[in-house]
Amino acid sequence: MTGPETVVEVDGTVVAVPEGASLLAAVRAAGIELPSLCSDDRLSPAGSCRTCLVRADGRVAAACVTPAAPGARVETATDDLRRLRRDAVEVIVSALPSRALTTGNRSELARVCRSLDIGQEAARGAGGRGGDDSHPYVHLDRDLCIACGRCVRMCAEVQGTFALTLVGRGADTQVAPGTGGPWAESDCVACGGCVDTCPTGAIAEPGPGRGLTSAHRPSATRTTCGYCGVGCALDVVTRDGEVTAVLPARDGPVNQGHACVKGRFAHGYLTSPERLTRPLLRRDGRLEPASWDQAIGEVARGLRAAVAAGGPDAVAAISSARATNEENYLVQKFMRVVVGTNNVDNCSRLCHSPSAAGLTASFGLSGGTDTFDDVERSDCLLVVGANPVEAHPVVGARLLRRVLHGAGLVVADPRAVGLALHADVHLRPRPGTNVALFHGLAHVLLAEDLIDEEFLRERATGLTELAALLDDYPPDRVADITGVPATDLVAAARLYGRARRPAILYGLGVTEHLHGTDGVRSLANLAILRGAVGTDRGHGVMPLRGQNNVQGASDMGALPDVLPGYGRVTDPAVRSRAEAVWGVPVPERPGLRIPGMFAAARAGELRALWVIGEDVCATDPDANQVTRALDTCPLVICDELFLSETARHADIVLPAASWLEKDGTFVNFDRRFQRVRPAVPPPGGTRADFAIVHAVASAMGTALGCATPAEALAECGRVAPVFAGLTHGRLDREGAVPWPCPDPGRPGEAKLYEERFATADGRAHLAAPPYLPPGEQPDDDYPLLLVTGRRWAHYNSGSMTRRGGNLTLDPVDFLDLHPGDALRYAVDDGVPVTVESRHGRARLIARISEQTAPGQVFCAIHFPGSGVNRLTSHHADTVTSCPEYKVTAVRVSGQPRRGTTATGQWE
Ligand SMILES: Nc1nc2c(c(=O)[nH]1)N[C@H]1C(S)=C(S)[C@@H](COP(=O)(O)OP(=O)(O)OC[C@H]3O[C@@H](n4cnc5c(=O)[nH]c(N)nc54)[C@H](O)[C@@H]3O)O[C@H]1N2
Ligand SMILES: Nc1nc2c(c(=O)[nH]1)N[C@H]1C(S)=C(S)[C@@H](COP(=O)(O)OP(=O)(O)OC[C@H]3O[C@@H](n4cnc5c(=O)[nH]c(N)nc54)[C@H](O)[C@@H]3O)O[C@H]1N2
Ligand SMILES: [Mo]
């Protein structure tokens, strides 16, 4: 235990609990279980059910709401207390229908009744209140509601959605969605928190998982979520080789008993009839089933032929940020060792490659600077170009909780995203103007002396150049460039500058721009100016990295210019360390980045492309050109779960296992390695990417070594000293370990740079890039600015979330536009619209909303059929080639409903 303690005596046993803990915690610490139907450790206590009565220093009290006073003497076991508690439970039960206590019922209430010997006959309620089964994942049986309020508190305090309320009076009080209508139409975002806390099963997941909650500690497989980069620990319950329920782990280091709609519920894809279960080979223009032997043989033959015709650099691979570290390690090893090329990349290219480049240049390492646990304790959060409420919901909820408890919040996002509603200042820059915005904030920090001079003197470089540049970015000029009022800019800079421990979190709104790396660096400047990185005066700069394992895919060296651990391929010392382990020379010329691979394919220079778990035809920009590249490339191999847009253009499709079916590790957004374990066997006919890469290597006559994922991680630690302390065994024991972790006997480094920065001179580097405009600007032909991004219910290409209940939650692909623009371009709410850019055309459904600013429209990327990435351009970050997904000039034309004219006026 850390921190001050309180010592109390419970039934004669002396126990110590953290100061401020409740009597209930003390009773539990003494190993005694009490019923406590309105209590959940994740929530503030309510004290409403009166089932946890104890006697403290002579007075009867509800243990859950009574703080443990130092030296208190607590009694729990006297006959009168037992009777009081039993009576309280009996009163609650008497109002419920008998099905509340059926045999085999898994609810907390049923367990409590069993322990108190309360039989089913005690449940004498008439029932008849009805239910709500409108929602795919959350069903309500009103008869079982005991109005304990746990669901309401879970939704408010942990999830921060405030979707639920208690309605009715007295014995008739029950939970209901706050919006009054059916659950499916409420504000519920299906995090599953209410399901997990409900003690009676009134709120439950339909189907075989009904009644299972994390409180049961059922026999389950502990794994790490395979959707986004938060890294939630999940317990997967199975029966007969199928997933019954996915429960949030209470001891999950990041999620702490919480989850979101994807990890918790979106596993229906596993058993989708569309799941690929046999390899496919293109014959006479059509993809036809083949055996694994045939398919692997074809891959090996095709790759050998490509090398024979064009040399090793005529082959390229896109590795998967959805796949494990060990798979990524193996893919890059295969490319370097078997093929002999550095042509390997991963979707970090499309996402946070500017973070990797920018953070490395500013601080030395390619990752967030602090642990999220610290960031969450900050007193001022600056959240920039990120929408964690939808894209990293568990992190979004933890941030919101912090803000509701008093932390300052500045949100910088052109759209009114979820967190902006709670912000002290919401800056709404024009998309593509971040660098000017950040310089504006830095200007105010300097002008108002909100900087840490000692830190700048001792631990940073570049102040003179930056200060000179910032002269050109006074608030008024920045207001002109960004559209952000100067007063808001000043207010935001003061909040950040005056906070005791400010923290920066950011997302793709910073990186996916023509000048994304400049954006990251000028954002990092703020933390450096303020001395809020590598010190106890702030919590640094944290990219909210996207895919479950995008940090790991890059850490493992699935990148064209670096080997595992980020040593440059051009550095002979780095190569020779890898060569010593791999036993072959490593090619020294950096390989192609993803856009370069497509360009080489279109130019006829790339002869084979292996795409592993990335739907490039749907998610890479300027999709028409991507498709052309694949169609020109003589051999395209695709490892997939489904016949994705990319798979349709492949010559060989290999059916792959997914995260719930395989073994390995992922690295989450704050650099924590965590174990991934198979909860169910891969469907017959599929193979893990790990096995596929091994099979191809052997068919090409090379044994890659590291036969198991555990061996692959251990080998990676020999190539890359920063991972040398990490093994599966250690992670099995410790749960999560952050890198850098060079030593098996020492903890990894959660907070970086406390002594020195990892740059060559040990200092943080301020950068002074001038603001340069985005690649596209609106004009008369394309007057609107399209921003693309994410929505809560779907994940990226949607290949997994569209195959299950999430599709009911979010069935169509919307284009959000401002009411003024809707009027101007004669677009009605709910009608199909055509969106055109200089590069292509997409079809979406208009949704009129003030979430987007006038002149801007927004859509997501979750329905490839709509063609959103046919609109996006070839413009990309000048340093890293990360696409400028956030700025595309478009025009919109709708089909006005009857009653409007082309000018939007009512007839
Ligand atoms: N539900 C869900 N969750 C996901 C994903 C998903 O598809 N669905 N994908 C995962 C992946 S791969 C990633 S990378 C992350 C992404 O997570 P985020 O980075 O949070 O996601 P986005 O919605 O792409 O973009 C974030 C915000 O940037 C804003 N923005 C656009 N242009 C600018 C600008 O010029 N300046 C500023 N300041 N802001 C701007 C947009 O309005 C948007 O709200 O999410 C991960 N989590
Ligand atoms: N317009 C626009 N486009 C964008 C973005 C944007 O903001 N705007 N964001 C970009 C970003 S940040 C990203 S990360 C990309 C994401 O783009 P993608 O990586 O293409 O998207 P995903 O849907 O996550 O997954 C890719 C495929 O992997 C398959 N898959 C899942 N798990 C596995 C596995 O274990 N093995 C194998 N072999 N396959 C698997 C899935 O079925 C899916 O088809 O999209 C980018 N595209
Ligand atoms: Mo991403």
Side-chain angles (χ1 to χ4, degrees):
M1 210 177 308
T2 52
E5 295 179 357
T6 303
V7 177
V8 298
E9 192 186 304
V10 181
D11 293 341
T13 307
V14 175
V15 293
V17 289
E19 198 175 273
S22 67
L23 286 181
L24 185 60
V27 168
R28 286 190 181 145
I32 298 164
E33 269 309 314
L34 294 180
S36 54
L37 292 173
C38 67
S39 149
D40 181 318
D41 293 343
R42 294 166 288 188
L43 307 173
S44 63
S48 60
C49 77
R50 316 292 295 170
T51 58
C52 65
L53 297 176
V54 296
R55 189 172 283 109
D57 293 333
R59 288 182 43 208
V60 173
C64 67
V65 277
T66 312
R73 293 163 65 96
V74 186
E75 287 176 324
T76 71
T78 62
D79 285 348
D80 67 320
L81 285 168
R82 282 185 212 276
R83 203 173 325 108
L84 283 173
R85 291 196 298 259
R86 193 173 191 281
D87 287 352
V89 174
E90 253 179 346
V91 169
I92 291 169
V93 167
S94 68
L96 304 181
S98 64
R99 70 174 181 283
L101 296 184
T102 43
T103 17
N105 191 314
R106 299 187 274 207
S107 76
E108 185 178 327
L109 177 70
R111 274 183 291 135
V112 164
C113 286
R114 279 195 288 276
S115 74
L116 297 175
D117 232 358
I118 297 174
Q120 196 175 4
E121 69 288 347
R124 296 185 304 270
R129 287 166 166 182
D132 183 335
D133 55 9
S134 60
H135 193 283
Y137 299 133
V138 187
H139 284 190
L140 171 64
D141 180 345
R142 292 193 187 90
D143 291 338
L144 299 186
C145 179
I146 60 169
C148 65
R150 277 162 65 168
C151 52
V152 177
R153 279 176 284 145
M154 195 78 184
C155 194
E157 294 174 15
V158 173
Q159 168 56 30
T161 298
F162 303 92
L164 302 179
T165 180
L166 290 178
V167 295
R169 286 162 167 259
D172 225 23
T173 311
Q174 50 184 282
V175 64
T179 40
W183 200 289
E185 288 166 28
S186 72
D187 297 334
C188 170
V189 291
C191 69
C194 54
V195 173
D196 201 62
T197 192
C198 179
T200 67
I203 303 178
E205 175 178 0
R210 170 173 285 281
L212 278 175
T213 73
S214 62
H216 290 98
R217 303 188 179 281
S219 93
T221 307
R222 171 63 58 89
T223 193
T224 306
C225 184
Y227 282 103
C228 84
V230 169
C232 294
L234 301 173
D235 286 323
V236 185
V237 186
T238 60
R239 197 194 304 146
D240 302 331
E242 293 208 2
V243 173
T244 314
V246 180
L247 306 173
R250 300 249 181 144
D251 55 351
V254 191
N255 56 315
Q256 306 168 346
H258 196 36
C260 86
V261 64
K262 302 185 300 301
R264 178 71 166 83
F265 295 116
H267 50 79
Y269 77 88
L270 284 171
T271 52
S272 161
E274 291 168 314
R275 188 80 191 263
L276 295 172
T277 53
R278 297 175 74 180
L280 304 173
L281 288 183
R282 191 168 293 282
R283 293 194 184 101
D284 300 327
R286 291 183 38 197
L287 285 170
E288 289 181 356
S291 72
W292 271 102
D293 282 350
Q294 285 170 317
I296 297 290
E298 281 301 307
V299 173
R301 242 188 316 280
L303 293 181
R304 260 195 242 106
V307 174
D313 289 339
V315 178
I318 298 176
S319 193
S320 182
R322 305 300 301 273
T324 61
N325 288 318
E326 294 74 4
E327 291 171 330
N328 279 283
Y329 176 76
L330 212 61
V331 172
Q332 62 81 35
K333 182 175 178 186
F334 172 84
M335 292 305 286
R336 291 175 166 129
V337 168
V338 181
V339 181
T341 176
N342 284 311
N343 285 344
V344 57
D345 205 353
N346 78 82
C347 76
S348 178
R349 184 68 51 211
L350 318 174
C351 184
H352 274 283
S353 52
S355 298
L359 295 174
T360 304
S362 294
F363 305 124
L365 292 178
S366 177
T369 60
D370 285 55
T371 155
F372 182 66
D373 298 330
D374 288 341
V375 169
E376 192 202 30
R377 282 193 276 274
S378 154
D379 60 336
C380 176
L381 302 164
L382 172 55
V383 180
V384 188
N387 184 10
V389 167
E390 297 197 57
H392 299 86
V394 166
V395 157
R398 283 180 66 179
L399 292 175
L400 182 54
R401 227 178 312 161
R402 184 74 194 106
V403 171
L404 295 174
H405 283 97
L409 175 66
V410 176
V411 169
D413 196 304
R415 298 186 307 134
V417 288
L419 278 182
L421 310 178
H422 302 270
D424 297 291
V425 186
H426 178 196
L427 309 170
R428 300 187 77 169
R430 280 187 203 104
T433 62
N434 285 325
V435 173
L437 182 77
F438 305 151
H439 286 340
L441 294 169
H443 179 104
V444 179
L445 292 181
L446 275 175
E448 304 204 355
D449 201 17
L450 298 171
I451 57 174
D452 186 331
E453 283 179 21
E454 187 189 331
F455 178 89
L456 289 168
R457 208 170 38 244
E458 305 290 328
R459 299 198 56 191
T461 64
L463 183 60
T464 317
E465 297 82 344
L466 178 62
L469 178 89
L470 292 181
D471 284 345
D472 292 340
Y473 294 88
D476 285 344
R477 173 158 184 258
V478 171
D480 287 344
I481 301 172
T482 63
V484 171
T487 45
D488 288 354
L489 193 79
V490 172
R494 285 179 184 162
L495 266 171
Y496 181 83
R498 289 176 183 168
R500 286 191 10 257
R501 276 193 290 274
I504 296 174
L505 298 113
Y506 72 94
L508 300 179
V510 174
T511 57
E512 288 179 340
H513 287 288
L514 183 62
H515 302 290
T517 302
D518 288 351
V520 172
R521 295 213 61 193
S522 43
L523 183 60
N525 282 348
L526 303 178
I528 301 172
L529 286 172
R530 183 60 191 64
V533 53
T535 66
D536 59 3
R537 299 186 294 288
H539 298 303
V541 187
M542 171 122 326
L544 288 169
R545 300 215 55 165
Q547 301 269 39
N548 52 315
N549 198 35
V550 65
Q551 176 75 49
S554 304
D555 295 347
M556 295 297 114
L559 291 170
D561 52 345
V562 296
L563 294 179
Y566 298 97
R568 306 225 141 252
V569 287
T570 46
D571 179 342
V574 168
R575 283 201 310 280
S576 70
R577 200 169 47 229
E579 285 161 358
V581 179
W582 295 342
V584 293
V586 172
E588 71 172 279
R589 190 156 71 108
L592 294 170
R593 297 169 171 180
I594 292 173
M597 294 176 189
F598 298 140
R602 286 189 296 267
E605 289 156 14
L606 195 73
R607 291 168 179 274
L609 176 62
W610 190 355
V611 186
I612 301 170
E614 187 171 324
D615 194 357
V616 293
C617 291
T619 54
D620 275 57
D622 206 358
N624 289 333
Q625 294 303 320
V626 175
T627 308
R628 197 158 75 77
L630 298 199
D631 292 345
T632 316
C633 188
L635 175 65
V636 176
I637 306 153
C638 178
D639 289 17
E640 250 300 337
L641 313 185
F642 295 101
L643 197 64
S644 63
E645 301 296 310
T646 306
R648 286 175 214 279
H649 290 271
D651 303 291
I652 304 172
V653 180
L654 303 172
S658 74
W659 63 282
L660 283 160
E661 302 152 341
K662 60 188 174 187
D663 182 45
T665 56
F666 294 153
V667 189
N668 82 333
F669 78 107
D670 68 349
R671 291 179 279 105
R672 292 180 228 218
F673 273 77
Q674 300 187 92
R675 286 280 277 122
V676 178
R677 300 186 183 87
V680 289
T686 68
R687 292 186 185 176
D689 296 302
F690 194 81
I692 297 175
V693 179
H694 265 309
V696 174
S698 356
M700 293 178 72
T702 310
L704 278 176
C706 45
T708 62
E711 286 171 33
L713 185 63
E715 183 180 300
C716 178
R718 290 199 283 135
V719 177
V722 278
F723 308 130
L726 291 154
T727 57
H728 281 206
R730 178 171 184 183
L731 295 168
D732 287 338
R733 286 191 303 278
E734 295 180 30
V737 181
W739 72 262
C741 183
D743 185 338
R746 298 190 52 193
E749 263 182 74
K751 182 177 176 72
L752 299 177
Y753 314 130
E754 283 177 297
E755 278 157 29
R756 68 191 300 275
F757 290 91
T759 49
D761 59 6
R763 288 165 171 253
H765 295 180
L766 291 162
Y771 162 73
L772 296 167
E776 296 213 342
Q777 300 282 359
D779 60 15
D780 287 349
D781 287 338
Y782 300 98
L784 292 164
L785 223 155
L786 171 72
V787 174
T788 58
R790 280 143 183 89
R791 301 197 197 272
W792 64 274
H794 288 295
Y795 194 75
N796 289 345
S797 70
S799 86
M800 290 148 93
T801 49
R802 280 182 288 102
R803 292 180 167 98
N806 289 42
L807 190 61
T808 325
L809 297 171
D810 187 5
V812 289
D813 208 358
F814 287 112
L815 178 81
D816 297 347
L817 78 172
H818 189 270
D821 293 319
L823 199 67
R824 189 143 170 226
Y825 301 107
V827 172
D828 285 341
D829 195 53
V831 305
V833 283
T834 303
V835 186
E836 287 171 284
S837 75
R838 298 182 181 103
H839 320 281
R841 174 184 295 192
R843 296 275 288 164
L844 298 147
I845 304 295
R847 180 162 69 184
I848 299 177
S849 137
E850 298 204 2
Q851 205 184 21
T852 48
Q856 296 168 23
V857 290
F858 174 84
C859 68
I861 54 169
H862 311 312
F863 293 81
S866 310
V868 166
N869 272 320
R870 284 185 222 130
L871 300 170
T872 47
S873 75
H874 56 275
H875 293 293
D877 177 37
T878 50
V879 178
T880 66
S881 310
C882 179
E884 192 183 41
Y885 286 123
K886 298 297 188 243
V887 185
T888 310
V890 297
R891 62 177 168 237
V892 173
S893 51
Q895 296 170 341
R897 284 217 174 106
R898 273 166 59 83
T900 52
T901 66
T903 55
Q905 301 300 309
W906 287 94
E907 280 176 342

